[in-house]
Amino acid sequence: MAERVFLSAPKSLPDGNALLRHPAERGAWIWHPEKSALQTAVLRFRLEFHLSKKINPLIHITADQRFQFRCDGRDVSFGPDRCDLDHWTIQSLRLELASGAHEFEVLAWWIAPPTDTCLDAVSPPMAQVTWRGGFLLHTEEAGDARLNTGSARWLVDDLTDAVGMGMPRLPNYHDVGPCFEFDMVRWPLRENKNAKIIRPPLESNAFGLRRPGWCLYPAELPEQSREPWRGGRIRAFRGGWGNQPFTGDETRSAEISAWQNLITEGTTLSVPAHSLVTVLWDFENYHCGYPVVEAADGDGSVIEWSWAEALYEEVDPTKVTDKSSKGQRDRIEGKVFVGMGDRWKVGMAFHETSPSLWWRAGRYVRLRIKAEETPLVISRLSVITTGYPLRLAGSWKSSDSCWDRLTSLFIHAFQCSAHETWTDTPYYEQMCYVGDTLMHAAANYAWFADDRLSRRAIRLFEWSRRFSGLVAERYPSRQRQESATYSLLWPRMVRDYAWWRDDPLFVREMLPGIRSVLAEFEGMCEDGLLHQVPGWPFVDWVSEWSTAPSCHGYGPGVAEGDSSIVNLHWVLALLAAAQIEEAHGDPLLGTRDRRLARSVFDLVVTRYWDEGRGLLLDSRGSIACSEHAQVLALLTGLLDPEKTERCLSALCMAQGLAKSTIAFSFFLLDVLYQHGREGEFHRRLQFWRVLPDQGFTSTPEGPEPSRSDAHAWGAHPAWHTLASIAGIRPDSPGFATVRIAPMPGGLDHFDAVCVHPRGRIKVGFRRDVSGSAECYFRVCLPAGITGTLVWSGCSRSLVPGMNSISFSKTPVSAALYFPV
């Protein structure tokens, strides 16, 4: 019925809203005639038309803040993909419309940002950049102008009074916008008012004067998936709406079976009149989606659908704080539910399917139902799952069934966090952070062939430089957040893309931004080092740092401007930029970047090296030291051999170092791999090995008490599975050559498939279990790709196609260990 069409991006972004650069700029934006575009509104736009013959119009559609587009009652497109005003996403859709009567329906809404800092004030999601309310639909074909906003007779219904809004009450930081309460008596309202033009078509300005507001930019991503799902398990039934901990009697209630049949078989269920019930539904996995309720009768009844990642080990919801433990994630007895969600107040003619303005996330759903004068008959409870349509292309299987089980959990974590952007957490924030996305993108390149979401993230961060010259810590974001350390991670993210993907044109587009970012930091430099840096210089959520009043996610000396860690971030950004310049830019600038990196690094060693302990201090004003400083120094590759060994020894054995938590362990594991510390590498994976036994179905943000149970940066061992355990890595830009240096630990065998720009790399490993220490490999490389296999200090050349290699004292064909 509809297919997204991807238009070319404009070449001259500074001309936005001065000169026409997108076909839809010839169209008009519309809104309700009696609503200010700066006033919270939920509107339904409708266009009825009749066709004498089949047409296939190419329409361009967008709105501020959100829209849901349906044609003849069927979902077509939701959007716009999250963006900023200078690059406002407009989706292009090729429709197939048969002859006869049709109706376009667009549900569009705009939530006014709060004018004060009141915590209870309703506000849109922080990830939702906005200007003012508006909706636009435009088609280029002259004969199809009957569809366009501004020229066709679009009708609009004001549903604002049918939607109540309130902010969730959660014990941790959250910023996903309001919870909604739908009055299904008012929802079917038909006002039939004519929509009003609020922004006429763009007229080009030859003098370069830009019109304020939305600058249209073509969508770069496919439509988000929306798939029906039902299943899981009803875990408890309670008569009433009490908030006390769930009891054993409630988990064994005879009422459970009827509700179980409803969610799995679709068997109709009746809630008696004048009753209150609570039902706890365990999806038995983590899902993101829109709630679906179908019901009849029950005039005046209320259905409340709340989501949670897990339940809390407290005696009352009012006792839950950010320090409360969730314990075993698949247990509910003796725990309380704290979550967020939406409500529907039922009318006699209940809407066939419950409306939803935004998707939610979690593992558990608490349904609370209040039936009034007549029974409420429920015929369907399900979820329309949603997310970016990531399709798995890599694979892993080994002799370690425990680790194999984990890889599917890791992949699920990434899929839960993939939406219109990579999100830090689908439950609490849904924002795209540089540090998180660097890890998400790495796994994306190794496991998934579709890299458009990571390309989009790189480009979003490049766009975020507009205000300060630095990359924003998170983007898009209504409120800008600065972070020097995250800005310095962005060149490393681009470097990863340049090596794992063969896309030099895109990488060259990023070079001006990389140069600008580094120039900003060079301008901050005093005596050859960085001292005071802007924003929140986040490093890691380290317990040893959290007790210091001035350390909010970073170590000693950072706030005071005396930090080895901050300067090592700068060194690594310079080295990444040098690699990119040498591959795709200006080699002279690459040489300059390397020279500056060497100079800064030498000053860091001079200032912070503790010769007695054989490691780098976090700050000259403190004896404190951390794994973080050692890891960053080792990643540079600039330490001399003697200091490298001492630093590695300190990292593995020294007492008193502030420990890396989940996020920073991505870099720690990389250091251990690069320096061949196989035993320590695998020992550091223990945290993840026990997650399934603790009831997790995704990866947490941090050690307990963890705010988020679905934080995809916690799944970074997925990347290390292919890039470190199997050892598959690019050996040159564009993955033109490959280096395979496995570090399998105690594995007897594995079979790994890693995504490559030209296809897939397949590596099979077999160890002779008789104790001879002989090993055999089968490596298949894409056409035109060569490489090197490294094992126990020996190197073997790899050619395109199949390579069978044995490392044994006696000539034995590796093919014997890889039966067809």
Side-chain angles (χ1 to χ4, degrees):
M1 183 180 180
E3 178 185 3
R4 274 208 191 188
V5 175
F6 299 101
L7 305 186
S8 298
K11 293 183 179 179
S12 181
L13 296 181
D15 280 338
N17 280 5
L19 301 177
L20 287 166
R21 67 179 192 179
H22 191 284
E25 288 171 331
R26 296 180 176 88
W29 292 71
I30 60 173
W31 206 238
H32 194 281
E34 299 169 6
K35 281 284 186 183
S36 163
L38 295 175
Q39 179 182 6
T40 294
V42 180
L43 306 178
R44 182 196 296 119
F45 294 93
R46 292 178 289 115
L47 176 67
E48 296 179 354
F49 56 97
H50 189 277
L51 300 175
S52 59
K53 62 179 181 179
K54 174 184 175 181
I55 64 172
N56 298 98
L58 177 64
I59 69 165
H60 311 291
I61 184 169
T62 191
D64 188 348
Q65 295 161 351
R66 305 293 308 176
F67 73 84
Q68 296 176 0
F69 172 43
R70 296 178 176 90
C71 178
D72 301 331
R74 296 173 59 187
D75 290 345
V76 177
S77 185
F78 289 9
D81 295 341
R82 280 178 165 161
C83 52
D84 62 21
L85 292 182
D86 282 341
H87 314 86
W88 193 264
T89 301
I90 182 163
Q91 282 129 254
S92 299
L93 306 167
R94 179 67 71 181
L95 303 183
E96 295 183 10
L97 299 175
S99 60
H102 294 279
E103 182 183 49
F104 284 173
E105 178 182 296
V106 176
L107 186 64
W109 61 96
W110 194 83
I111 302 171
T115 56
D116 55 37
T117 57
C118 175
L119 295 178
D120 293 328
V122 170
S123 63
M126 184 58 71
Q128 189 66 56
V129 174
T130 188
W131 187 47
R132 58 186 61 184
F135 162 60
L136 180 149
L137 186 149
H138 185 78
T139 181
E140 300 175 55
E141 289 89 343
D144 297 326
R146 74 195 98 174
L147 308 178
N148 294 346
T149 52
S151 56
R153 186 171 180 264
W154 280 85
L155 302 177
V156 60
D157 310 318
D158 182 5
L159 305 179
T160 311
D161 289 343
V163 185
M165 301 184 190
M167 296 305 288
R169 295 183 179 275
L170 297 171
N172 303 88
Y173 172 65
H174 60 89
D175 223 332
V176 296
C179 300
F180 302 104
E181 183 170 352
F182 299 89
D183 185 338
M184 301 311 299
V185 175
R186 298 181 179 183
W187 187 259
L189 172 72
R190 290 289 192 270
E191 283 188 304
N192 295 321
K193 291 185 179 289
N194 292 319
K196 176 182 69 173
I197 294 176
I198 59 169
R199 184 181 175 93
L202 174 68
E203 294 183 5
S204 291
N205 187 287
F207 304 102
L209 295 175
R210 295 180 56 169
R211 183 169 67 168
W214 312 290
C215 297
L216 300 183
Y217 190 89
E220 299 178 312
L221 303 178
E223 190 74 25
Q224 299 291 298
S225 67
R226 290 183 293 277
E227 302 291 339
W229 178 90
R230 66 182 186 183
R233 185 159 57 107
I234 301 298
R235 298 288 299 276
F237 175 89
R238 170 179 293 164
W241 278 21
N243 289 320
Q244 68 270 25
F246 286 97
T247 67
D249 288 344
E250 290 170 333
T251 66
R252 296 184 294 272
S253 169
E255 303 283 347
I256 288 176
S257 61
W259 288 89
Q260 186 67 43
N261 289 337
L262 171 63
I263 65 168
T264 56
E265 306 298 331
T267 305
T268 298
L269 181 148
S270 180
V271 179
H274 305 293
S275 64
L276 294 171
V277 301
T278 299
V279 177
L280 185 65
W281 181 6
D282 179 1
F283 292 162
E284 300 184 300
N285 206 347
Y286 200 100
H287 286 298
C288 304
Y290 299 89
V292 176
V293 182
E294 291 180 7
D297 301 328
D299 187 23
S301 297
V302 173
I303 302 171
E304 178 188 270
W305 179 311
S306 297
W307 300 69
E309 295 185 320
L311 278 62
Y312 288 90
E313 296 179 325
E314 295 286 0
V315 297
D316 187 277
T318 61
K319 305 295 184 182
V320 174
T321 71
D322 59 355
K323 300 296 190 295
S324 296
S325 174
K326 301 174 190 175
Q328 186 76 18
R329 285 346 193 231
D330 52 5
R331 292 180 184 168
I332 67 165
E333 286 189 31
K335 294 184 177 183
V336 295
F337 184 99
V338 175
M340 61 176 166
D342 306 298
R343 282 187 177 191
W344 298 269
K345 183 179 179 182
V346 178
M348 284 298 291
F350 185 56
H351 199 272
E352 181 181 355
T353 301
S354 50
S356 297
L357 299 188
W358 194 237
W359 57 268
R360 306 295 183 190
R363 170 176 174 170
Y364 291 93
V365 161
R366 184 186 66 184
L367 293 162
R368 298 206 297 188
I369 298 172
K370 178 183 180 182
E372 293 289 359
E373 299 299 323
T374 58
L376 175 68
V377 180
I378 303 176
S379 58
R380 184 182 178 193
L381 285 176
S382 62
V383 176
I384 302 296
T385 61
T386 190
Y388 187 88
L390 274 178
R391 300 290 181 260
L392 190 63
S395 65
W396 170 265
K397 187 176 182 180
S398 75
S399 57
D400 186 345
S401 59
C402 171
W403 194 257
D404 294 358
R405 176 179 59 161
L406 267 172
T407 55
S408 61
L409 184 148
F410 295 151
I411 297 307
H412 184 66
F414 286 112
Q415 290 170 329
C416 287
S417 287
H419 294 273
E420 293 170 5
T421 64
W422 282 113
T423 64
D424 61 328
T425 154
Y427 189 85
Y428 287 97
E429 297 182 50
Q430 302 174 3
M431 284 192 278
C432 187
Y433 285 82
V434 179
D436 305 42
T437 304
L438 182 147
M439 290 176 255
H440 300 166
N444 185 172
Y445 307 145
W447 285 90
F448 306 96
D450 184 348
D451 55 32
R452 286 175 289 181
L453 196 59
S454 295
R455 278 171 49 96
R456 172 77 170 173
I458 292 170
R459 198 188 295 278
L460 283 167
F461 291 128
E462 200 278 332
W463 291 339
S464 77
R465 295 184 302 104
R466 299 290 182 259
F467 294 96
S468 69
L470 300 185
V471 167
E473 177 171 4
R474 62 189 189 193
Y475 204 75
S477 176
R478 252 184 326 107
Q479 294 180 343
R480 182 177 177 87
Q481 186 172 21
E482 300 285 2
S483 171
T485 46
Y486 270 35
S487 189
L488 288 167
L489 287 176
W490 181 65
R492 297 166 67 182
M493 188 190 304
V494 180
R495 184 269 175 205
D496 288 348
Y497 183 85
W499 257 246
W500 283 83
R501 289 292 184 263
D502 186 14
D503 191 0
L505 290 178
F506 178 78
V507 175
R508 289 187 192 114
E509 285 183 43
M510 301 301 113
L511 272 171
I514 292 171
R515 293 164 183 165
S516 173
V517 167
L518 294 179
E520 292 285 342
F521 280 99
E522 194 168 352
M524 301 175 202
C525 172
E526 301 174 21
D527 64 24
L529 292 173
L530 296 175
H531 293 283
Q532 297 291 339
V533 291
W536 180 33
F538 178 79
V539 178
D540 192 6
W541 290 117
V542 178
S543 58
E544 292 90 338
W545 296 345
S546 63
T547 55
S550 62
C551 298
H552 304 283
Y554 49 82
V558 175
E560 296 78 15
D562 180 24
S563 169
S564 63
I565 292 173
V566 169
N567 281 284
L568 289 169
H569 270 295
W570 186 23
V571 172
L572 287 166
L574 287 165
L575 293 174
Q579 288 183 289
I580 298 169
E581 295 282 7
E582 291 158 358
H584 299 302
D586 186 337
L588 290 177
L589 287 178
T591 299
R592 184 184 185 279
D593 288 337
R594 287 192 183 277
R595 187 184 305 121
L596 180 56
R598 177 84 254 184
S599 172
V600 174
F601 185 79
D602 288 345
L603 288 171
V604 167
V605 173
T606 298
R607 184 179 182 92
Y608 299 106
W609 182 258
D610 184 330
E611 180 62 26
R613 298 160 73 185
L615 47 69
L616 282 167
L617 299 173
D618 290 349
S619 172
R620 193 169 64 170
S622 169
I623 62 169
C625 49
S626 64
E627 291 182 343
H628 306 72
Q630 321 315 312
V631 165
L632 295 177
L634 289 164
L635 281 176
T636 68
L638 298 178
L639 274 175
D640 64 51
E642 188 267 337
K643 284 187 172 63
T644 294
E645 285 304 311
R646 296 188 69 191
C647 203
L648 276 168
S649 296
L651 185 62
C652 297
M653 295 183 290
Q655 301 295 316
L657 272 67
K659 301 296 183 183
S660 304
T661 64
I662 294 176
F664 202 86
S665 292
F666 175 80
F667 304 111
L668 169 63
L669 291 169
D670 200 22
V671 162
L672 296 174
Y673 170 78
Q674 290 185 31
H675 290 86
R677 298 301 176 102
E678 190 166 15
E680 185 68 9
F681 175 93
H682 285 276
R683 186 182 71 81
R684 296 283 186 143
L685 298 177
Q686 184 58 33
F687 171 85
W688 289 273
R689 287 184 172 276
V690 299
L691 291 180
D693 295 332
Q694 294 171 344
F696 285 96
T697 61
S698 183
T699 47
E701 181 178 12
E704 192 74 359
S706 174
R707 174 186 65 153
S708 166
D709 281 6
H711 218 90
W713 76 5
H716 61 72
W719 180 79
H720 280 291
T721 298
L722 297 181
S724 301
I725 300 176
I728 307 168
R729 299 193 179 202
D731 204 28
S732 57
F735 226 147
T737 56
V738 59
R739 183 178 187 269
I740 301 175
M743 201 158 70
L747 295 180
D748 294 326
H749 64 80
F750 69 73
D751 291 287
V753 176
C754 179
V755 173
H756 185 277
R758 297 192 188 181
R760 295 189 295 176
I761 296 171
K762 301 178 181 179
V763 179
F765 164 78
R766 301 291 183 270
R767 194 194 307 269
D768 190 327
V769 295
S770 66
S772 65
E774 296 177 348
C775 296
Y776 308 91
F777 289 89
R778 175 170 284 182
V779 179
C780 186
L781 300 184
I785 302 300
T786 61
T788 304
L789 174 65
V790 180
W791 180 258
S792 296
C794 299
S795 298
R796 302 287 179 83
S797 296
L798 299 172
V799 298
M802 187 63 69
N803 299 260
S804 295
I805 298 173
S806 64
F807 291 87
S808 61
K809 297 177 182 177
T810 57
V812 177
S813 172
L816 296 175
Y817 286 81
F818 298 92
V820 177

